[in-house]
Amino acid sequence: MAALAPIPIYTNLTDLYDSLGTAASHAERWNNLIEEFEKRYGGKPKYIARAPGRVNLIGEHIDYALFGVQPMAVEADILIACAPSKATSEPTQPGHVVAQNLAKKYGPQVFTPLSSPSKEAAEDPVRVWQLDIDKKELRWESYVKAGYYGVLNEYFASSSTTPPIPVDLLVTGSVPAGSGLSSSAAMVVASTLAFLSINGKLDEPETLRLSKGALVGMAMQNEQRVGVNSGGMDQAASVISTPSAALYITFYPKLAAEPTPLPAGAVFVIANSLVVSDKAVTAKFNYNLRVVETLAAARVLARVLGLNVGPKEKITLREVVGRLVQEDKEKPMTDEEMRDVLVRMAKEVEVLRPKNAPEGELGVTLEEMIEMTGLSKEEFNDVYLSWVEVEATRFQLYKRAKHVFSEALRVLQFRDTCLQSPADVFGALGALMNESQKSCAEDYGCSCPELDTLTSIARGAGAWGSRLTGAGWGGCSVSLVSEDKVESFIKEVTAQYEPYKTLSEEQLKDAIFATKPSSGACVFKFE
Ligand code: NG1
Ligand code: MG
């Protein structure tokens, strides 16, 4: 099982480039990072951790409801070079970190542990190493801190263990930030890997080494520290992906992943809407609100369907479906059985549609929502609102659940189409992507006018299908294009999408590009 494989460690750069494909293009970037590291820190790096971004082909906003998703890692990635600290000017304390970024706009950062922490501070890595994260502001070092925190918490929380090594880091990234390609997950995975390596936590022989699944678990928790209550899609895609296939990831009853072969001649073109979606600022109106809406929808649905749910249980929509068919956790539903239940759920979900609501209003107020769950106000706040900040006057339980069930079904249909590869495979995949976009826009409310325009331009320019990818509300679209049409497609979209008209050639290359499935995260060790 892919999720159980050990984290790959390379000691030969040629082997590593081979594993990434297209060797030449990588070598320049890696060499530049190594040279810069030597210039800045006066010695060679000891490790380089690599973690790629990802594009989600289909299955949007359903990972936190624990339904399967279908992303693939992209070639763009984050690299973090590191070595035990050589700082000469001041005596370095255990676990002292200097973090620099090759991009000039991200200034250097230092994390120093308190020299004499109080007794209770000594128990908490955040306080000892001063790793507080400002959730209200998007800062690059937050992701480095998040990765570091996870490693400290896992291995160094007790004051009796040998303290962590002081470290110098240099980061470089080619995943555009805030664009739906998950630069955040790539940062967190790379940072977690860098701190694991430098502290000798990946030194075991392969058979005993930390598994990819364990790294995904750590990275998920670490990223949630930055303030978004995300599912595990991005971290799993960044860690477990294999080259030349997409990755079908399921989360229930536990993390599992299988490659999905893509049809020959299929190219996925990413196009950035150039609308930046900054979750640090907006999550309470969009992402985190959707998490709460889908969880509340799950509880109400379970109640209406007569299922047993404990008052403190945060049941997800995936679990509601399992409970409905009395699924055995040891023997979870097959994809085929899941398809049948999801077809049924498309009808069951109608019970969430508000009855006597005013024309066109499918949302409910907070009070109405609480009443529908059958919980008291206190119970509801405790289970659903105490851990997250959300702001809304209406909660859209019906539309959100409708999207989740239909999208989960499309993921299974997409994978099945790839596996069967029928004569009209491109048309079938494209149609599913288009339906996904419609559902995201109309039911989930996670598109935006620019993404609607861009995906419709893409269809007109010859894409089989086009949709937003990632959280939405801005960021990128992904379009399925036949290999021989890629060039004309990019030309046409470039000519038609208004915001591209003012971009330089260089900027355009970053805004719209074809991508291939890439391999997941790894570590290079200098010997
Ligand atoms: P982005 O914003 O594209 O990184 C987010 C979540 C995913 C998933 C998608 C929507 C994070 C780290 N990731 O992705 O888990 O829910 O939105 O499908 O927030
Ligand atoms: Mg992200």
Side-chain angles (χ1 to χ4, degrees):
M1 181 63 73
L4 299 177
I7 295 162
I9 297 184
Y10 292 90
T11 50
N12 178 309
L13 276 173
T14 313
D15 290 349
L16 182 135
Y17 298 151
D18 281 350
S19 81
L20 305 179
T22 56
S25 62
H26 293 288
E28 200 184 312
R29 228 171 117 239
W30 282 66
N31 287 334
N32 179 41
L33 178 67
I34 297 167
E35 272 167 32
E36 273 296 323
F37 189 94
E38 289 190 76
K39 263 194 226 155
R40 294 177 187 215
Y41 295 115
K44 271 199 181 315
K46 185 145 189 243
Y47 298 93
I48 295 181
R50 168 192 185 261
R54 63 95 187 94
V55 54
N56 191 19
L57 303 182
I58 198 157
E60 223 58 85
H61 286 282
I62 61 173
D63 59 345
Y64 47 89
L66 301 188
F67 282 107
V69 293
Q70 184 63 89
M72 68 185 199
V74 294
E75 290 163 291
D77 60 16
I78 304 283
L79 304 179
I80 302 186
C82 60
S85 167
K86 276 204 162 183
T88 42
S89 53
E90 29 179 319
T92 42
Q93 287 176 273
H96 176 99
V97 174
V98 178
Q100 296 194 35
N101 197 312
L102 275 190
K104 289 202 184 72
K105 62 178 171 182
Y106 301 130
Q109 299 291 324
V110 176
F111 320 140
T112 327
L114 297 168
S115 43
S116 46
S118 68
K119 202 159 172 282
E120 42 345 324
E123 303 288 304
D124 180 358
V126 171
R127 291 171 66 185
V128 181
W129 277 277
Q130 310 199 63
L131 295 176
D132 297 288
I133 288 173
D134 181 359
K135 294 186 179 179
K136 296 236 155 32
E137 208 189 335
L138 199 67
R139 299 194 56 89
W140 80 272
E141 72 275 14
S142 297
Y143 298 97
V144 181
K145 285 182 180 174
Y148 195 24
Y149 171 82
V151 174
L152 290 172
N153 199 38
E154 184 83 21
Y155 296 98
F156 299 97
S158 140
S159 41
S160 59
T161 44
T162 18
I165 290 177
V167 44
D168 292 333
L169 297 177
L170 184 58
V171 179
T172 186
S174 56
V175 195
S179 62
L181 296 185
S182 231
S183 56
S184 59
M187 274 293 291
V188 174
V189 170
S191 151
T192 308
L193 272 179
F195 288 110
L196 284 170
S197 329
I198 205 81
N199 285 295
K201 303 303 173 195
L202 299 178
D203 284 350
E204 283 92 353
E206 240 181 59
T207 46
L208 300 173
R209 197 183 301 149
L210 203 68
S211 73
K212 294 180 179 180
L215 175 62
V216 172
M218 277 182 89
M220 268 176 77
Q221 279 185 17
N222 294 348
E223 184 151 359
Q224 294 202 348
R225 294 189 46 76
V226 188
V228 179
N229 293 278
S230 57
M233 163 167 72
D234 305 348
Q235 299 80 5
S238 181
V239 172
I240 310 174
S241 287
T242 51
S244 70
L247 193 70
Y248 172 54
I249 308 168
T250 49
F251 304 96
Y252 185 88
K254 57 182 187 313
L255 178 71
E258 294 286 341
T260 298
L262 293 168
V267 174
F268 290 94
V269 178
I270 292 167
N272 196 329
S273 68
L274 301 181
V275 175
V276 175
S277 152
D278 179 356
K279 278 201 238 123
V281 180
T282 58
K284 64 177 169 192
F285 312 108
N286 55 39
Y287 195 95
N288 286 345
L289 175 60
R290 296 294 180 273
V291 175
V292 170
E293 285 174 318
T294 49
L295 283 171
R299 176 170 283 272
V300 177
L301 194 57
R303 183 168 184 236
V304 181
L305 294 172
L307 307 173
N308 253 331
V309 183
K312 289 199 184 309
E313 206 186 335
K314 247 196 265 168
I315 193 170
T316 58
L317 286 165
R318 169 65 182 79
E319 289 159 300
V320 168
V321 165
R323 220 163 280 185
L324 186 65
V325 298
Q326 299 183 340
E327 179 180 30
D328 176 357
K329 252 188 141 177
E330 302 299 314
K331 234 179 108 240
M333 271 182 263
T334 61
D335 287 352
E336 203 161 28
E337 287 164 337
M338 179 60 94
R339 265 200 301 274
D340 292 343
V341 194
L342 287 170
V343 169
R344 173 175 167 195
M345 293 320 285
K347 299 188 197 100
E348 302 280 12
V349 77
E350 289 298 316
V351 298
L352 292 177
R353 188 197 277 270
K355 298 282 159 338
N356 305 314
E359 188 70 27
E361 180 52 84
L362 293 173
V364 294
T365 64
L366 179 64
E367 289 69 33
E368 287 166 336
M369 174 166 73
I370 295 177
E371 201 190 314
M372 287 163 83
T373 62
L375 295 176
S376 72
K377 203 167 169 225
E378 291 67 38
E379 284 172 325
F380 188 93
N381 282 340
D382 187 37
V383 182
Y384 295 105
L385 298 174
S386 59
W387 44 273
V388 65
E389 203 189 335
V390 298
E391 247 181 74
T393 47
R394 296 261 166 189
F395 296 80
Q396 302 285 348
L397 307 195
Y398 166 67
K399 285 165 98 181
R400 308 310 182 223
K402 182 167 169 250
H403 164 79
V404 170
F405 291 132
S406 69
E407 185 76 354
L409 180 59
R410 283 186 288 272
V411 169
L412 292 171
Q413 291 165 332
F414 189 96
R415 175 164 156 84
D416 202 42
T417 307
C418 288
L419 292 171
Q420 306 294 332
S421 202
D424 65 337
V425 60
F426 282 66
L429 296 178
L432 289 166
M433 291 172 74
N434 290 338
E435 284 164 31
S436 167
Q437 171 61 25
K438 188 164 185 274
S439 180
C440 281
E442 292 174 7
D443 288 334
Y444 217 70
C446 63
S447 189
C448 64
E450 293 83 354
L451 279 168
D452 293 339
T453 305
L454 186 55
T455 50
S456 118
I457 290 176
R459 280 174 217 121
W464 292 96
S466 186
R467 54 182 297 280
L468 66 85
T469 182
W473 298 291
C476 289
S477 64
V478 57
S479 305
L480 171 59
V481 180
S482 306
E483 204 165 18
D484 57 335
K485 294 263 166 57
V486 171
E487 219 172 295
S488 63
F489 171 81
I490 292 182
K491 222 166 150 194
E492 180 81 20
V493 175
T494 304
Q496 286 197 35
Y497 186 56
E498 227 19 75
Y500 285 176
K501 294 194 174 148
T502 52
L503 298 188
S504 67
E505 220 162 279
E506 205 49 35
Q507 289 170 318
L508 261 177
K509 270 195 214 139
D510 290 337
I512 177 164
F513 51 91
T515 187
K516 288 198 211 93
S518 166
S519 53
C522 67
V523 171
F524 182 78
K525 183 176 182 187
F526 292 82
E527 288 189 323

